[in-house]
Amino acid sequence: MSFARTAVTRKQTALSDHRQTFEELCAWIEAHLDEPIGWQELMARSGLDHQTLNALFFKFLSTTPMAWIRKRRGLGQAAALPRPAPSHRLLRTAAAQA
């Protein structure tokens, strides 16, 4: 096994060792979406540094922590919005196709 491959394998193993911390942090974020959440809060809450947090979010969610927080906040706001009534034109089109 090459040195580079060994280093990558060690890094992946180290990230996997933080899985529980990552899951607990995500649960904490979900519970605090209505509050300001920055890097300092994430690092203090998890005990992990900026680089490790970024790596964990990319490994498990394919995004950055801040992008995931913005997305989760957006999903909550979208769920709270009233749904618009269906368009009469769409209803007529659907009825005509039936």
Side-chain angles (χ1 to χ4, degrees):
M1 186 179 283
S2 72
F3 175 75
R5 182 174 263 177
T6 302
V8 169
T9 303
R10 279 192 212 133
K11 184 176 180 180
Q12 289 172 343
T13 300
L15 290 177
S16 294
D17 290 345
H18 293 297
R19 179 74 188 227
Q20 183 175 352
T21 301
F22 174 77
E23 290 173 358
E24 290 170 359
L25 180 62
C26 288
W28 180 84
I29 291 168
E30 290 280 349
H32 294 87
L33 285 173
D34 58 337
E35 301 171 18
I37 301 173
W39 281 105
Q40 295 303 318
E41 289 82 14
L42 296 178
M43 291 187 295
R45 184 72 186 174
S46 67
L48 301 172
D49 62 34
H50 184 276
Q51 185 177 6
T52 302
L53 285 170
N54 253 342
L56 286 168
F57 272 82
F58 269 105
K59 177 178 175 63
F60 296 121
L61 297 174
S62 301
T63 191
T64 66
M66 295 305 150
W68 187 74
I69 290 169
R70 282 191 302 273
K71 181 179 178 183
R72 299 306 302 157
R73 285 180 173 151
L75 290 175
Q77 290 173 356
L81 295 175
R83 288 209 152 132
S87 167
H88 293 291
R89 189 180 80 204
L90 290 175
L91 292 175
R92 282 185 292 214
T93 303
Q97 291 176 352

Coordinates of all heavy atoms in Angstrom, one line a residue:
M1 N 0.9 -1.2 0.0 CA 0.0 0.0 0.0 C 0.9 1.2 0.0 O 1.8 1.3 0.8 CB -0.9 0.0 1.2 CG -1.9 1.1 1.2 SD -3.0 1.1 2.7 CE -4.1 -0.2 2.2
S2 N 0.6 2.2 -0.9 CA 1.4 3.4 -1.0 C 1.2 4.3 0.3 O 0.2 4.2 1.0 CB 1.1 4.2 -2.2 OG -0.2 4.8 -2.1
F3 N 2.1 5.2 0.4 CA 2.0 6.2 1.6 C 0.8 7.0 1.4 O 0.1 7.2 2.4 CB 3.3 7.0 1.6 CG 3.2 8.1 2.7 CD1 3.3 7.8 4.0 CD2 2.9 9.4 2.3 CE1 3.2 8.8 5.0 CE2 2.8 10.4 3.3 CZ 3.0 10.1 4.6
A4 N 0.5 7.5 0.2 CA -0.7 8.4 0.0 C -2.0 7.6 0.3 O -2.9 8.2 0.9 CB -0.7 8.9 -1.4
R5 N -2.1 6.4 -0.1 CA -3.3 5.6 0.1 C -3.4 5.3 1.6 O -4.5 5.3 2.1 CB -3.2 4.3 -0.7 CG -4.4 3.5 -0.5 CD -4.4 2.3 -1.4 NE -5.2 2.6 -2.5 CZ -5.4 1.9 -3.6 NH1 -4.8 0.7 -3.7 NH2 -6.2 2.3 -4.6
T6 N -2.3 5.0 2.3 CA -2.4 4.8 3.7 C -2.9 6.1 4.5 O -3.7 6.0 5.4 CB -1.0 4.4 4.3 OG1 -0.5 3.3 3.6 CG2 -1.0 4.1 5.7
A7 N -2.4 7.2 4.0 CA -2.8 8.5 4.7 C -4.3 8.7 4.5 O -5.0 9.1 5.4 CB -2.0 9.6 4.1
V8 N -4.8 8.5 3.3 CA -6.2 8.6 3.0 C -7.0 7.7 3.9 O -8.0 8.0 4.4 CB -6.5 8.4 1.5 CG1 -8.0 8.3 1.2 CG2 -5.9 9.6 0.7
T9 N -6.6 6.4 3.9 CA -7.3 5.4 4.7 C -7.4 5.8 6.2 O -8.4 5.7 6.9 CB -6.7 4.0 4.6 OG1 -6.6 3.7 3.2 CG2 -7.4 3.0 5.4
R10 N -6.2 6.3 6.7 CA -6.2 6.8 8.1 C -7.2 8.0 8.3 O -7.8 8.0 9.4 CB -4.8 7.2 8.5 CG -3.9 6.1 8.9 CD -2.6 6.6 9.5 NE -1.6 5.6 9.2 CZ -0.4 6.0 8.7 NH1 -0.1 7.2 8.6 NH2 0.5 5.0 8.4
K11 N -7.2 8.9 7.4 CA -8.1 10.1 7.5 C -9.5 9.6 7.5 O -10.3 10.1 8.3 CB -7.8 11.0 6.4 CG -8.6 12.3 6.5 CD -8.3 13.3 5.5 CE -9.1 14.6 5.6 NZ -8.8 15.5 4.6
Q12 N -9.9 8.7 6.6 CA -11.3 8.2 6.6 C -11.6 7.5 7.9 O -12.7 7.7 8.4 CB -11.5 7.3 5.4 CG -11.4 8.0 4.1 CD -11.4 7.0 2.9 OE1 -11.1 5.8 3.0 NE2 -11.8 7.5 1.7
T13 N -10.7 6.7 8.4 CA -11.0 6.0 9.7 C -11.2 7.0 10.8 O -12.1 6.9 11.6 CB -9.8 5.0 10.0 OG1 -9.7 4.1 8.9 CG2 -10.1 4.3 11.3
A14 N -10.3 8.0 10.8 CA -10.4 9.1 11.9 C -11.8 9.8 11.8 O -12.4 10.1 12.8 CB -9.3 10.1 11.7
L15 N -12.2 10.1 10.5 CA -13.5 10.7 10.4 C -14.6 9.8 10.8 O -15.6 10.3 11.5 CB -13.7 11.2 8.9 CG -12.8 12.3 8.4 CD1 -13.1 12.6 7.0 CD2 -13.0 13.6 9.3
S16 N -14.5 8.6 10.5 CA -15.6 7.6 10.9 C -15.6 7.5 12.5 O -16.7 7.3 13.0 CB -15.3 6.2 10.3 OG -15.5 6.3 8.9
D17 N -14.5 7.7 13.1 CA -14.5 7.7 14.6 C -15.3 8.8 15.2 O -15.7 8.7 16.3 CB -13.0 7.8 15.1 CG -12.2 6.5 14.8 OD1 -12.8 5.5 14.5 OD2 -11.0 6.6 14.9
H18 N -15.5 9.9 14.4 CA -16.3 11.0 14.9 C -17.8 10.9 14.5 O -18.5 11.9 14.7 CB -15.7 12.3 14.4 CG -14.4 12.6 14.9 ND1 -14.1 12.9 16.2 CD2 -13.2 12.8 14.2 CE1 -12.8 13.1 16.4 NE2 -12.2 13.1 15.2
R19 N -18.2 9.8 14.0 CA -19.6 9.7 13.5 C -20.6 10.1 14.6 O -21.6 10.8 14.4 CB -19.9 8.3 13.0 CG -21.3 8.0 12.5 CD -21.5 8.7 11.2 NE -22.8 8.6 10.7 CZ -23.2 8.3 9.5 NH1 -22.3 7.9 8.6 NH2 -24.4 8.3 9.2
Q20 N -20.5 9.6 15.8 CA -21.4 9.9 16.9 C -21.4 11.3 17.2 O -22.5 11.9 17.4 CB -21.1 9.0 18.1 CG -22.2 9.3 19.2 CD -22.0 8.4 20.4 OE1 -21.2 7.5 20.4 NE2 -22.7 8.6 21.5
T21 N -20.2 11.9 17.3 CA -20.1 13.4 17.6 C -20.8 14.1 16.5 O -21.6 15.1 16.8 CB -18.7 13.8 17.7 OG1 -18.0 13.0 18.7 CG2 -18.5 15.3 18.0
F22 N -20.6 13.7 15.3 CA -21.3 14.4 14.1 C -22.8 14.3 14.2 O -23.5 15.3 14.0 CB -20.8 13.8 12.8 CG -21.5 14.3 11.6 CD1 -21.2 15.5 11.1 CD2 -22.5 13.5 11.0 CE1 -21.8 16.0 9.9 CE2 -23.1 14.0 9.9 CZ -22.8 15.2 9.4
E23 N -23.3 13.1 14.5 CA -24.8 12.9 14.6 C -25.3 13.8 15.8 O -26.4 14.4 15.6 CB -25.1 11.5 14.8 CG -24.8 10.7 13.5 CD -25.0 9.2 13.7 OE1 -25.3 8.7 14.8 OE2 -24.9 8.5 12.7
E24 N -24.6 13.8 16.9 CA -25.1 14.6 18.0 C -25.1 16.1 17.7 O -26.0 16.9 18.0 CB -24.2 14.4 19.2 CG -24.4 13.0 19.8 CD -23.4 12.6 20.9 OE1 -22.5 13.4 21.2 OE2 -23.5 11.5 21.4
L25 N -24.1 16.5 16.9 CA -24.0 17.9 16.5 C -25.1 18.3 15.6 O -25.8 19.3 15.7 CB -22.6 18.2 15.8 CG -22.4 19.7 15.4 CD1 -22.5 20.6 16.5 CD2 -21.1 19.8 14.6
C26 N -25.4 17.4 14.6 CA -26.5 17.6 13.7 C -27.9 17.7 14.5 O -28.7 18.6 14.1 CB -26.6 16.5 12.6 SG -25.3 16.6 11.4
A27 N -28.1 16.9 15.5 CA -29.3 16.9 16.3 C -29.4 18.3 17.0 O -30.4 18.9 17.1 CB -29.3 15.8 17.2
W28 N -28.2 18.7 17.6 CA -28.2 20.0 18.3 C -28.5 21.1 17.3 O -29.3 22.0 17.7 CB -26.8 20.2 18.9 CG -26.7 21.5 19.6 CD1 -27.1 21.7 20.9 CD2 -26.2 22.7 19.1 NE1 -26.9 23.1 21.2 CE2 -26.3 23.7 20.1 CE3 -25.7 23.1 17.9 CZ2 -25.9 25.0 20.0 CZ3 -25.3 24.4 17.7 CH2 -25.4 25.3 18.8
I29 N -27.9 21.1 16.1 CA -28.2 22.1 15.1 C -29.7 22.2 14.8 O -30.3 23.2 14.8 CB -27.4 21.9 13.8 CG1 -25.9 22.1 14.1 CG2 -27.9 22.8 12.7 CD1 -25.0 21.7 13.0
E30 N -30.3 21.0 14.6 CA -31.8 20.9 14.3 C -32.6 21.6 15.4 O -33.6 22.3 15.1 CB -32.2 19.5 14.1 CG -31.7 18.8 12.8 CD -32.5 19.2 11.6 OE1 -33.5 19.8 11.7 OE2 -32.0 18.9 10.5
A31 N -32.2 21.4 16.6 CA -32.9 21.9 17.8 C -32.7 23.4 18.0 O -33.4 24.0 18.7 CB -32.5 21.1 19.1
H32 N -31.7 24.0 17.3 CA -31.3 25.4 17.5 C -31.3 26.2 16.2 O -30.7 27.2 16.1 CB -30.0 25.5 18.2 CG -30.0 24.9 19.6 ND1 -29.7 23.6 19.9 CD2 -30.2 25.5 20.8 CE1 -29.8 23.4 21.2 NE2 -30.1 24.5 21.7
L33 N -32.1 25.7 15.3 CA -32.1 26.4 14.0 C -32.6 27.9 14.1 O -32.3 28.7 13.2 CB -32.9 25.6 12.9 CG -32.2 24.4 12.4 CD1 -33.2 23.6 11.5 CD2 -31.0 24.8 11.6
D34 N -33.4 28.1 15.1 CA -34.0 29.5 15.2 C -33.0 30.4 15.9 O -33.3 31.6 16.2 CB -35.3 29.4 16.0 CG -35.2 28.8 17.4 OD1 -34.2 28.0 17.6 OD2 -36.0 29.0 18.2
E35 N -31.8 30.0 16.3 CA -30.8 30.8 16.9 C -29.6 31.0 16.0 O -29.4 30.2 15.1 CB -30.3 30.0 18.2 CG -31.3 29.8 19.2 CD -30.9 28.9 20.3 OE1 -29.6 28.7 20.5 OE2 -31.7 28.3 21.0
P36 N -28.8 32.0 16.2 CA -27.6 32.2 15.4 C -26.6 31.0 15.7 O -26.4 30.7 16.8 CB -27.0 33.5 15.9 CG -28.1 34.2 16.6 CD -29.0 33.1 17.1
I37 N -26.1 30.4 14.6 CA -25.1 29.3 14.7 C -24.0 29.7 13.8 O -24.1 29.8 12.6 CB -25.7 28.0 14.3 CG1 -27.0 27.6 15.2 CG2 -24.7 26.9 14.4 CD1 -27.7 26.4 14.7
G38 N -22.8 29.8 14.4 CA -21.6 30.1 13.7 C -20.5 29.0 13.9 O -20.8 28.0 14.7
W39 N -19.4 29.2 13.4 CA -18.3 28.3 13.5 C -17.9 28.1 15.0 O -17.6 27.0 15.4 CB -17.1 28.7 12.7 CG -17.2 28.4 11.3 CD1 -17.5 29.2 10.2 CD2 -17.1 27.1 10.7 NE1 -17.6 28.5 9.1 CE2 -17.4 27.2 9.3 CE3 -16.9 25.8 11.2 CZ2 -17.4 26.1 8.5 CZ3 -16.9 24.7 10.4 CH2 -17.1 24.9 9.0
Q40 N -17.9 29.2 15.7 CA -17.5 29.1 17.1 C -18.4 28.2 17.9 O -18.0 27.4 18.7 CB -17.4 30.5 17.8 CG -16.4 31.4 17.2 CD -15.0 30.8 17.3 OE1 -14.6 30.3 18.3 NE2 -14.2 31.0 16.2
E41 N -19.7 28.3 17.7 CA -20.7 27.4 18.3 C -20.5 26.0 17.9 O -20.5 25.1 18.8 CB -22.1 27.9 18.0 CG -22.6 29.2 18.7 CD -22.1 30.4 17.9 OE1 -21.7 30.3 16.7 OE2 -22.2 31.5 18.5
L42 N -20.3 25.8 16.7 CA -20.1 24.4 16.2 C -18.8 23.7 16.8 O -18.9 22.6 17.2 CB -20.0 24.4 14.6 CG -21.3 24.8 13.9 CD1 -21.0 24.8 12.4 CD2 -22.5 23.9 14.3
M43 N -17.7 24.5 16.8 CA -16.5 24.0 17.3 C -16.6 23.7 18.8 O -16.1 22.7 19.3 CB -15.3 24.9 17.0 CG -15.0 24.9 15.5 SD -13.5 25.8 15.0 CE -14.0 27.5 15.5
A44 N -17.2 24.7 19.5 CA -17.4 24.5 21.0 C -18.3 23.3 21.3 O -18.0 22.6 22.2 CB -17.9 25.8 21.6
R45 N -19.3 23.2 20.6 CA -20.3 22.2 20.9 C -19.7 20.8 20.6 O -20.0 19.8 21.3 CB -21.6 22.4 20.0 CG -22.7 21.4 20.3 CD -23.3 21.7 21.6 NE -24.3 20.7 21.9 CZ -24.9 20.5 23.0 NH1 -24.7 21.4 24.0 NH2 -25.8 19.6 23.2
S46 N -19.0 20.7 19.5 CA -18.5 19.3 19.1 C -17.1 19.0 19.6 O -16.7 17.8 19.7 CB -18.4 19.3 17.5 OG -17.4 20.2 17.1
G47 N -16.3 20.0 20.0 CA -14.9 19.8 20.4 C -14.0 19.5 19.2 O -12.9 19.1 19.4
L48 N -14.5 19.8 18.0 CA -13.7 19.6 16.8 C -13.3 20.9 16.2 O -13.9 21.9 16.4 CB -14.5 18.7 15.8 CG -15.0 17.4 16.3 CD1 -15.9 16.7 15.3 CD2 -13.8 16.5 16.6
D49 N -12.2 20.8 15.4 CA -11.8 22.1 14.8 C -12.5 22.3 13.4 O -13.2 21.4 13.0 CB -10.2 22.0 14.5 CG -9.8 20.9 13.6 OD1 -10.5 20.6 12.7 OD2 -8.7 20.4 13.8
H50 N -12.3 23.5 12.9 CA -13.0 23.9 11.6 C -12.8 22.9 10.5 O -13.7 22.5 9.8 CB -12.4 25.3 11.3 CG -13.0 25.9 10.1 ND1 -12.6 25.7 8.8 CD2 -14.0 26.8 10.0 CE1 -13.3 26.4 8.0 NE2 -14.1 27.1 8.7
Q51 N -11.5 22.5 10.3 CA -11.2 21.6 9.2 C -11.8 20.2 9.4 O -12.4 19.6 8.4 CB -9.7 21.4 9.1 CG -9.2 20.6 7.9 CD -7.7 20.5 7.9 OE1 -7.0 21.0 8.7 NE2 -7.2 19.9 6.8
T52 N -11.9 19.7 10.6 CA -12.5 18.4 10.8 C -14.0 18.5 10.6 O -14.6 17.6 10.0 CB -12.1 17.9 12.2 OG1 -10.7 17.8 12.4 CG2 -12.7 16.5 12.5
L53 N -14.6 19.5 11.1 CA -16.0 19.7 10.9 C -16.4 19.8 9.4 O -17.3 19.1 8.9 CB -16.5 21.0 11.6 CG -16.7 20.9 13.1 CD1 -16.9 22.2 13.7 CD2 -17.8 19.9 13.5
N54 N -15.6 20.5 8.6 CA -15.8 20.6 7.2 C -15.7 19.2 6.6 O -16.5 18.8 5.8 CB -14.8 21.5 6.5 CG -15.5 22.8 6.1 OD1 -16.7 22.9 6.0 ND2 -14.6 23.8 5.9
A55 N -14.7 18.5 6.9 CA -14.4 17.1 6.4 C -15.6 16.2 6.7 O -16.0 15.4 5.9 CB -13.1 16.6 6.9
L56 N -16.1 16.3 8.0 CA -17.2 15.4 8.4 C -18.5 15.7 7.6 O -19.2 14.8 7.1 CB -17.5 15.6 9.9 CG -16.5 14.9 10.8 CD1 -16.7 15.4 12.2 CD2 -16.5 13.4 10.7
F57 N -18.8 17.0 7.4 CA -20.0 17.4 6.7 C -19.9 16.9 5.2 O -20.8 16.5 4.6 CB -20.3 18.8 6.8 CG -21.1 19.2 8.0 CD1 -20.6 19.3 9.3 CD2 -22.5 19.3 7.9 CE1 -21.4 19.5 10.4 CE2 -23.3 19.6 9.0 CZ -22.7 19.7 10.2
F58 N -18.7 17.1 4.6 CA -18.5 16.6 3.3 C -18.6 15.1 3.2 O -19.2 14.6 2.3 CB -17.2 17.1 2.7 CG -17.3 18.4 2.0 CD1 -16.8 19.5 2.6 CD2 -17.9 18.5 0.7 CE1 -16.9 20.8 1.9 CE2 -18.0 19.7 0.1 CZ -17.5 20.8 0.7
K59 N -18.0 14.4 4.2 CA -18.1 12.9 4.1 C -19.5 12.4 4.3 O -19.9 11.5 3.5 CB -17.2 12.3 5.3 CG -17.2 10.8 5.3 CD -16.4 10.3 6.4 CE -16.5 8.8 6.6 NZ -16.1 8.0 5.5
F60 N -20.2 12.9 5.2 CA -21.6 12.4 5.5 C -22.7 13.0 4.8 O -23.8 12.4 4.6 CB -21.8 12.4 7.0 CG -20.8 11.5 7.8 CD1 -20.0 12.0 8.8 CD2 -20.7 10.1 7.5 CE1 -19.1 11.2 9.5 CE2 -19.9 9.3 8.2 CZ -19.0 9.9 9.2
L61 N -22.6 14.3 4.4 CA -23.7 15.1 3.8 C -23.3 15.7 2.5 O -24.2 16.4 1.9 CB -24.2 16.1 4.8 CG -24.8 15.6 6.1 CD1 -25.1 16.7 7.0 CD2 -26.0 14.7 5.8
S62 N -22.1 15.6 2.1 CA -21.6 16.2 0.8 C -21.9 17.7 0.7 O -22.2 18.2 -0.3 CB -22.3 15.5 -0.4 OG -22.0 14.1 -0.4
T63 N -21.7 18.4 1.8 CA -21.9 19.8 1.8 C -21.1 20.4 3.0 O -20.5 19.7 3.8 CB -23.4 20.2 2.0 OG1 -23.5 21.6 1.8 CG2 -23.9 19.8 3.3
T64 N -21.1 21.7 3.1 CA -20.4 22.4 4.3 C -21.4 22.5 5.4 O -22.6 22.5 5.2 CB -19.9 23.8 3.9 OG1 -21.0 24.6 3.6 CG2 -19.0 23.7 2.7
P65 N -20.9 22.7 6.6 CA -21.8 22.9 7.8 C -22.7 24.1 7.6 O -23.9 24.0 7.8 CB -20.9 23.1 8.9 CG -19.6 22.5 8.6 CD -19.5 22.7 7.1
M66 N -22.2 25.2 7.1 CA -23.0 26.4 7.0 C -24.1 26.2 5.9 O -25.2 26.7 6.0 CB -22.2 27.6 6.7 CG -21.3 28.0 7.9 SD -22.3 28.2 9.4 CE -21.1 27.7 10.6
A67 N -23.7 25.6 4.8 CA -24.7 25.3 3.7 C -25.8 24.4 4.2 O -27.0 24.6 3.9 CB -24.0 24.7 2.5
W68 N -25.4 23.4 5.0 CA -26.4 22.5 5.5 C -27.4 23.2 6.5 O -28.6 23.0 6.4 CB -25.8 21.3 6.2 CG -26.7 20.3 6.6 CD1 -27.4 19.3 5.8 CD2 -27.2 20.0 8.0 NE1 -28.2 18.5 6.6 CE2 -28.1 18.9 7.9 CE3 -26.9 20.6 9.2 CZ2 -28.7 18.4 9.0 CZ3 -27.5 20.0 10.3 CH2 -28.4 19.0 10.2
I69 N -26.8 24.1 7.3 CA -27.7 24.9 8.2 C -28.6 25.8 7.4 O -29.8 25.8 7.7 CB -26.8 25.7 9.2 CG1 -26.1 24.8 10.2 CG2 -27.6 26.7 9.9 CD1 -25.0 25.4 11.0
R70 N -28.1 26.5 6.4 CA -29.0 27.3 5.6 C -30.1 26.5 4.9 O -31.3 26.9 4.9 CB -28.2 28.0 4.5 CG -27.4 29.2 5.0 CD -26.8 30.1 3.9 NE -26.0 29.3 3.0 CZ -24.7 29.2 3.2 NH1 -24.1 29.7 4.3 NH2 -23.9 28.5 2.4
K71 N -29.8 25.3 4.4 CA -30.7 24.4 3.8 C -31.8 24.0 4.8 O -33.0 24.0 4.5 CB -30.1 23.2 3.2 CG -31.0 22.3 2.5 CD -30.3 21.1 1.9 CE -31.3 20.2 1.3 NZ -30.7 19.0 0.7
R72 N -31.4 23.6 6.0 CA -32.3 23.1 7.0 C -33.2 24.3 7.4 O -34.4 24.1 7.6 CB -31.6 22.6 8.3 CG -30.7 21.4 8.0 CD -31.4 20.2 7.3 NE -32.5 19.8 8.1 CZ -33.5 19.1 7.7 NH1 -33.6 18.8 6.4 NH2 -34.5 18.7 8.4
R73 N -32.7 25.5 7.5 CA -33.5 26.6 7.9 C -34.5 26.9 6.8 O -35.7 27.2 7.0 CB -32.7 27.9 8.1 CG -32.0 27.8 9.5 CD -31.1 29.0 9.7 NE -30.6 29.0 11.1 CZ -29.5 29.6 11.4 NH1 -28.7 30.2 10.5 NH2 -29.1 29.5 12.7
G74 N -34.1 26.8 5.5 CA -35.0 27.0 4.4 C -36.1 26.0 4.3 O -37.2 26.3 4.0
L75 N -35.8 24.7 4.7 CA -36.8 23.7 4.7 C -37.9 24.0 5.7 O -39.1 23.8 5.5 CB -36.2 22.3 4.9 CG -35.4 21.8 3.8 CD1 -34.7 20.5 4.2 CD2 -36.2 21.6 2.5
G76 N -37.4 24.5 6.9 CA -38.4 24.8 7.9 C -39.3 26.0 7.6 O -40.5 26.0 7.8
Q77 N -38.7 27.0 6.9 CA -39.5 28.1 6.5 C -40.5 27.7 5.4 O -41.6 28.2 5.3 CB -38.6 29.2 5.9 CG -37.8 29.9 7.1 CD -36.8 30.9 6.5 OE1 -36.6 31.0 5.3 NE2 -36.1 31.5 7.4
A78 N -40.1 26.8 4.5 CA -40.9 26.4 3.4 C -42.1 25.6 3.9 O -43.2 25.7 3.4 CB -40.1 25.6 2.4
A79 N -41.9 24.8 4.9 CA -43.0 24.0 5.5 C -44.0 24.9 6.2 O -45.2 24.6 6.3 CB -42.4 23.0 6.5
A80 N -43.5 26.1 6.7 CA -44.4 27.0 7.4 C -45.2 27.9 6.5 O -46.2 28.4 6.9 CB -43.6 27.8 8.4
L81 N -44.8 28.0 5.3 CA -45.6 28.8 4.3 C -46.9 28.2 3.9 O -46.9 27.0 3.7 CB -44.7 29.1 3.1 CG -43.4 29.9 3.3 CD1 -42.6 30.0 2.0 CD2 -43.8 31.3 3.8
P82 N -47.9 29.0 3.7 CA -49.1 28.4 3.2 C -49.0 28.0 1.8 O -48.2 28.6 1.0 CB -50.1 29.5 3.3 CG -49.3 30.8 3.4 CD -48.0 30.4 4.0
R83 N -49.6 26.9 1.4 CA -49.5 26.4 0.0 C -50.5 27.2 -0.8 O -51.7 27.3 -0.4 CB -49.8 24.9 0.0 CG -48.7 24.1 0.5 CD -48.8 22.7 -0.1 NE -47.5 22.2 -0.2 CZ -47.2 21.0 0.2 NH1 -48.2 20.2 0.6 NH2 -46.0 20.5 0.1
P84 N -50.1 27.6 -2.0 CA -51.0 28.3 -2.9 C -52.1 27.4 -3.4 O -51.9 26.2 -3.5 CB -50.1 28.8 -4.0 CG -48.9 28.0 -4.0 CD -48.8 27.5 -2.5
A85 N -53.3 27.9 -3.6 CA -54.3 27.1 -4.2 C -53.9 26.7 -5.6 O -53.3 27.4 -6.3 CB -55.6 27.9 -4.2
P86 N -54.4 25.5 -6.0 CA -54.0 25.1 -7.4 C -54.6 26.0 -8.4 O -55.7 26.6 -8.2 CB -54.6 23.7 -7.5 CG -55.2 23.4 -6.2 CD -55.1 24.6 -5.3
S87 N -53.9 26.2 -9.5 CA -54.4 27.1 -10.6 C -55.6 26.4 -11.3 O -55.6 25.2 -11.6 CB -53.2 27.3 -11.6 OG -53.7 27.9 -12.7
H88 N -56.6 27.2 -11.6 CA -57.7 26.7 -12.3 C -57.3 26.3 -13.7 O -57.9 25.3 -14.2 CB -58.8 27.8 -12.4 CG -59.4 28.2 -11.1 ND1 -60.2 27.3 -10.4 CD2 -59.3 29.3 -10.3 CE1 -60.6 27.9 -9.3 NE2 -60.0 29.1 -9.2
R89 N -56.3 26.9 -14.3 CA -55.9 26.5 -15.6 C -55.3 25.1 -15.6 O -55.6 24.3 -16.4 CB -54.8 27.5 -16.1 CG -54.5 27.2 -17.6 CD -53.5 28.2 -18.1 NE -52.2 27.7 -17.6 CZ -51.1 28.4 -17.4 NH1 -51.1 29.7 -17.7 NH2 -50.0 27.9 -17.0
L90 N -54.5 24.8 -14.5 CA -54.0 23.5 -14.4 C -55.1 22.4 -14.1 O -55.0 21.3 -14.6 CB -53.0 23.4 -13.2 CG -51.6 24.2 -13.4 CD1 -50.8 24.2 -12.2 CD2 -50.9 23.6 -14.6
L91 N -56.1 22.8 -13.4 CA -57.2 21.9 -13.1 C -57.9 21.6 -14.4 O -58.3 20.4 -14.7 CB -58.1 22.4 -12.1 CG -57.5 22.5 -10.6 CD1 -58.5 23.2 -9.7 CD2 -57.2 21.1 -10.1
R92 N -58.2 22.6 -15.2 CA -58.9 22.4 -16.5 C -58.0 21.5 -17.4 O -58.6 20.6 -18.1 CB -59.2 23.7 -17.2 CG -60.4 24.4 -16.6 CD -60.7 25.7 -17.3 NE -59.5 26.5 -17.1 CZ -59.6 27.8 -17.0 NH1 -60.7 28.5 -17.3 NH2 -58.5 28.6 -16.8
T93 N -56.7 21.8 -17.5 CA -55.8 21.0 -18.3 C -55.9 19.5 -17.9 O -56.0 18.6 -18.7 CB -54.4 21.5 -18.3 OG1 -54.4 22.9 -18.7 CG2 -53.5 20.7 -19.2
A94 N -55.8 19.3 -16.6 CA -55.8 17.9 -16.1 C -57.1 17.2 -16.4 O -57.2 16.1 -16.7 CB -55.5 17.9 -14.6
A95 N -58.2 18.0 -16.2 CA -59.6 17.4 -16.5 C -59.7 17.1 -18.0 O -60.3 16.1 -18.4 CB -60.7 18.4 -16.0
A96 N -59.2 17.9 -18.8 CA -59.3 17.7 -20.3 C -58.5 16.5 -20.7 O -58.8 15.8 -21.7 CB -58.8 19.0 -21.0
Q97 N -57.4 16.2 -20.0 CA -56.5 15.1 -20.4 C -57.1 13.8 -19.8 O -56.8 12.7 -20.3 CB -55.1 15.3 -19.8 CG -54.4 16.4 -20.5 CD -53.0 16.6 -19.9 OE1 -52.7 16.1 -18.8 NE2 -52.3 17.5 -20.5
A98 N -58.0 13.8 -18.9 CA -58.6 12.6 -18.3 C -59.6 11.9 -19.1 O -60.1 12.3 -20.1 CB -59.2 13.0 -16.9

